[in-house]
Amino acid sequence: MKIHEYQAKALLQRYGVLVPKGGAATSAEEALELAKGMTPPIAVKCQIHAGGRGKGTLDVDYGDGPLHGVLLVKSVEDAGEVAGLMLGHTLVTRQTGPQGKQVGQVLLEQGVGIERELYLGIVLDRGIGRPVMMGCAEGGTSIEEIAVERPEAILKETLAPRGGLESFQARRLAVGLGLTGGQIRSAEKLMVALAKAFIELDCSIAEINPLVVTTDGTVMALDAKMNFDDNALFRHPEVVELRDLSEEHPTEARANEFDLSYVAMDGTIGCMVNGAGLAMATMDIIKFVSGGRAEPANFLDVGGAANSERVTEAMRIILQDPEVQTILVNIFGGIVLCDVIAEGVVSATRELGLTVPLVVRLEGTNVARGREILESSGLNIITADSMEDAARKAVKAAGVEV
Amino acid sequence: MSILVNKDTKVVVQGITGGAGKLHTGHMVEYGTQVVAGVTPGKGGGEVHGVPVFDTVADAVEKTGANCSIVFVPAAFCRDAILEAADSGIELVVAITEGIPTLDVADLMHYLRVRNVRMIGGNCPGIITPGEAKIGIMPGYIHKPGKIGILSRSGTLTYEAVWQVSNAGAGQSTCIGLGGDPIVGTSFVDGLKLFEEDPDTEGVILIGEIGGTAEEEAAQFIKENMSTPVAAFIAGTTAPPGKRMGHAGAIIAGGKGTAPEKIAALREANVEVSESPAHIGDAMMKALAR
């Protein structure tokens, strides 16, 4: 789960991470009121769940070009005006895709005098099975690019899964980043606090980019990004409250409510599969058998507890996508029983008055009974006897010759 | 004939009185697995499918000699349940439960390493040595005793591969579902090492997916250490970046962990990679014939 920058900063501040003075606003008036409490320059920052905001552009002009997602303004009045222009408009960045994201909130912050910009982040190192803090002397840039081009420029310290980061590790990192004198203690405090927040809140990513050294020598988070482990949200109700549903794909959010794992794609063949690996493989085989001329409309894993209601809901979710021209059901029953799926498919087809072709492949537990249910239903269901057969039939039904 | 589990493995089911625990205990007993005990705190003294239930794993181990545990307890309690198993002398823990918090796994793995306890999973279908022991939730009937080892990050896609191998007239030595989480107890490299040392495994199928670098590490290991032929399939060629594809671990992050990178690394290690999930069995036969 993702949260906004202003929410991440509020959380981190509680742990002792220094952040600039600021606040979030949802209207120009509110923004102006906030700005009145600050001394310009003031940073006005769009709050969306995507990076690259500073270079990203809004669909509104300011001065002699499009307005960017982050702007430093010179007066209180300008802060109110810019906030008003950003709100309700769409911001396109390298991470949003061409459709962009609508800006519902802006963060206003007191500008700070910057001496140096650095990068600091914690991610899970899957290879060693532990969180790792990464520091880099070049802030504000893409850490992914640096990791590929000059991995030696990234310094790392491993966290203990419960204990976090030791102070000496933080100091080692700070000195490695070229910090001196009082900056070292200031960085140590921030790093240990960031690690504590990561562990206690079950983060999957906690990133400060840039981390800045101000002209008066303090070390401060100028930006903040936090993602959380979905599996651990049950023990963090305070984090769940920060969820912004407007940032989520509506169909994906709805699927989530029914414990279905759904990801929207651009193609025309709707897929319903049990198991994440098989669901990915089903998408892959559509592309493979069609030589790239047909694409999946979605990823959908009905999960291990599939019953008639869930199958119906899954079909309903697939059909919400107007691009879907065929539905492909691929089930390899283990815990999931083929006869239960078959009953679900039959009742969903009747209930939804299905008009697009339906291709079903069943294998595994109770497969004989499952096939019998499909055949005796009298419905126009195209059955397939293998995964490849099913993919070919679905691609053909979607109008692509193979 | 197999790795890690066989007809002599004695299994204790943690969470035996829950829905999934009860159901799969029945299937495992029916398959012929030696299920010797179950554990549910507070339900000691009872019985499930003729299997005695104990309050603690220590009790179960002492009374029945169990050396392997299968875990069905809810995700929030898995860390504790797995630590209990390791602390009670269990040598192999098979964690079926989906949704264990990542930092819980990171934390308990350290403890398991110190104790020299192996974990398979979490979020996995389990392990099976066909004809001897099924310690998991996979459908038993699709498997046949034989000489192909299978390692997979997926559940149902593993069944697909097993089915293809069985239909090609071959069978399996041992199949392990490694699990779909970002951190799992047993990696591809761990499994490959065991299969390479097993004289009766003649070929290994590796089923990977997007996310992480476990397949790249496997490729490196194969290149340097393996004489047993390996075939592979990587799921997620069509998956978009930044999206979690069902499994908590199946995500392309920061442009890393894509299927093409993994496929290239495996091919570089002389692994026969199938482009289609329908031809995994064929790829294995091809690798064996080389």
Side-chain angles (χ1 to χ4, degrees), chain A residues 242-321:
Chain A
L242 303 177
R243 172 166 251 151
D244 181 351
L245 283 173
S246 73
E247 283 280 345
E248 292 174 24
H249 190 287
T251 318
E252 290 177 14
R254 182 173 166 78
N256 214 352
E257 274 175 44
F258 287 87
D259 268 332
L260 298 165
S261 188
Y262 173 93
V263 177
M265 305 277 293
D266 295 328
T268 57
I269 300 176
C271 301
M272 181 167 94
V273 187
N274 69 319
L278 192 62
M280 273 188 272
T282 303
M283 301 191 340
D284 296 344
I285 201 170
I286 288 170
K287 209 164 174 179
F288 181 77
V289 300
S290 69
R293 287 177 298 144
E295 301 261 358
N298 65 276
F299 165 96
L300 194 155
D301 173 10
V302 283
N307 54 29
S308 196
E309 292 79 59
R310 278 166 64 118
V311 169
T312 306
E313 194 50 43
M315 292 255 265
R316 193 173 279 145
I317 283 166
I318 291 170
L319 290 168
Q320 272 178 6
D321 178 351

Side-chain angles (χ1 to χ4, degrees), chain B residues 263-284:
Chain B
I263 291 170
L266 289 164
R267 286 207 168 126
E268 164 78 26
N270 207 22
V271 172
E272 183 68 39
V273 182
S274 173
E275 303 252 341
S276 161
H279 298 148
I280 303 170
D282 300 342
M284 185 73 259

Side-chain angles (χ1 to χ4, degrees), chain A residues 102-170:
Chain A
Q102 207 184 16
V103 180
Q105 295 164 94
V106 291
L107 169 65
L108 277 81
E109 273 182 352
Q110 176 77 62
V112 293
I114 298 168
E115 192 184 294
R116 275 189 73 191
E117 292 195 2
L118 310 157
Y119 169 92
L120 188 69
I122 305 176
V123 294
L124 182 73
D125 183 328
R126 293 166 61 159
I128 59 168
R130 294 200 160 197
V132 169
M133 180 175 281
M134 300 186 296
C136 181
E138 301 157 54
T141 48
S142 158
I143 195 71
E144 287 89 357
E145 274 169 35
I146 294 176
V148 174
E149 288 160 17
R150 282 173 293 118
E152 69 286 353
I154 298 173
L155 306 177
K156 293 180 178 174
E157 293 288 345
T158 305
L159 273 62
R162 293 230 147 178
L165 188 77
E166 298 297 336
S167 296
F168 80 89
Q169 293 180 290

Side-chain angles (χ1 to χ4, degrees), chain A residues 2 124-131 144 148 161-162 198-203 229-232 234-235 249 252 261 263-265 273-285 287-289 295-296 299 301 330 332-335 361 363-367 385-388, chain B residues 23-24 75-76 79 98-104 106-107 110 113 137-139 141-142 153-157 159-160 163-164 181-183 209-213 217 233-240 242-251 253-256 275-279:
Chain A
K2 295 176 179 178
L124 182 73
D125 183 328
R126 293 166 61 159
I128 59 168
R130 294 200 160 197
E144 287 89 357
V148 174
R162 293 230 147 178
F198 184 97
I199 302 285
E200 285 189 7
L201 298 173
D202 280 293
C203 291
D229 176 5
D230 291 340
N231 288 348
F234 70 88
R235 57 190 178 202
H249 190 287
E252 290 177 14
S261 188
V263 177
M265 305 277 293
V273 187
N274 69 319
L278 192 62
M280 273 188 272
T282 303
M283 301 191 340
D284 296 344
I285 201 170
K287 209 164 174 179
F288 181 77
V289 300
E295 301 261 358
F299 165 96
D301 173 10
N330 184 17
F332 207 121
I335 344 175
R361 180 270 180 134
E363 198 57 73
T365 316
N366 296 355
V367 62
D385 53 19
S386 76
M387 187 168 176
E388 186 165 85
Chain B
L23 175 73
H24 291 290
R79 177 180 172 276
E98 177 174 2
I100 310 174
T102 304
L103 290 178
D104 285 6
D107 179 41
H110 176 67
R113 268 187 211 116
I137 59 175
M138 63 290 277
Y141 80 93
I142 61 171
R153 280 170 68 188
S154 160
T156 47
L157 188 54
Y159 310 163
E160 185 72 47
W163 188 236
Q164 288 174 25
D181 282 347
I183 306 175
E209 63 189 30
I210 54 162
T213 54
E217 285 146 27
F233 172 75
I234 305 295
T237 304
T238 48
K243 286 277 188 181
R244 185 180 121 156
M245 306 302 278
H247 285 154
I251 181 164
K256 298 295 282 177
E275 303 252 341
S276 161
H279 298 148

Side-chain angles (χ1 to χ4, degrees), chain B residues 4-21:
Chain B
L4 295 174
V5 301
N6 57 32
K7 59 181 182 347
D8 299 321
T9 306
K10 291 183 173 172
V11 181
V12 51
V13 180
Q14 290 182 263
I16 193 167
T17 55

